[in-house]
């Protein structure tokens, strides 16, 4: 059980990082501000806010990367909590 939780949790973290990078690229492409990639964790919430706003303006729907980002971090957090409980 613990190994399954670790694998699912690590997959969630990997999807979270990939989604954050793709959101970062999307927002930087639209705004034309090039912030350094090193500081992505400091600004990720503002990037997600801009991504959500921009995709709603363009397509009248929230982009898929937003849901991927949100779901993956919640899955990783849930797996971490369950891992601590079952350990």
């Amino acid at each position: 059980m613990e190994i399954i939780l670790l694998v699912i949790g690590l997959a969630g973290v990997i999807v979270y990082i990939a989604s954050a990078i793709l959101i970062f690229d999307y927002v930087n492409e639209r705004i034309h501000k090039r912030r350094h990639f090193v500081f992505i964790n400091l600004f990720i919430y503002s990037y997600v806010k801009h991504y959500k706003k921009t995709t709603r303006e363009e397509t009248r729907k929230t982009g898929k990367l937003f849901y991927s980002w949100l779901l993956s971090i919640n899955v990783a957090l849930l797996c971490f909590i369950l891992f601590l409980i079952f350990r």
Side-chain angles (χ1 to χ4, degrees):
M1 182 74 168
E2 294 170 352
I3 294 175
I4 294 172
L5 288 174
L6 281 175
V7 169
I8 293 172
L10 287 174
V13 169
I14 290 169
V15 171
Y16 168 77
I17 291 170
S19 298
I21 291 169
L22 292 172
I23 288 172
F24 174 81
D25 285 340
Y26 183 89
V27 171
N28 272 333
E29 186 177 293
R30 297 290 191 269
I31 296 177
H32 299 294
K33 287 183 182 176
R34 282 290 180 197
R35 290 192 177 158
H36 296 288
F37 181 74
V38 176
F39 301 115
I40 190 170
N41 282 332
L42 297 175
F43 303 112
I44 190 62
Y45 296 110
S46 67
Y47 283 119
V48 169
K49 184 175 93 174
H50 287 301
Y51 174 77
K52 188 175 178 183
K53 180 183 170 191
T54 305
T55 55
R56 279 192 178 171
E57 288 173 357
E58 291 176 356
T59 63
R60 299 180 191 239
K61 295 180 185 178
T62 304
K64 294 178 182 177
L65 288 174
F66 172 75
Y67 295 113
S68 172
W69 175 80
L70 190 62
L71 182 66
S72 63
I73 195 62
N74 286 321
V75 165
L77 181 63
L78 179 66
C79 286
F80 177 71
I81 291 170
L82 289 175
F83 178 77
L84 291 177
I85 289 172
F86 289 126
R87 189 169 179 210

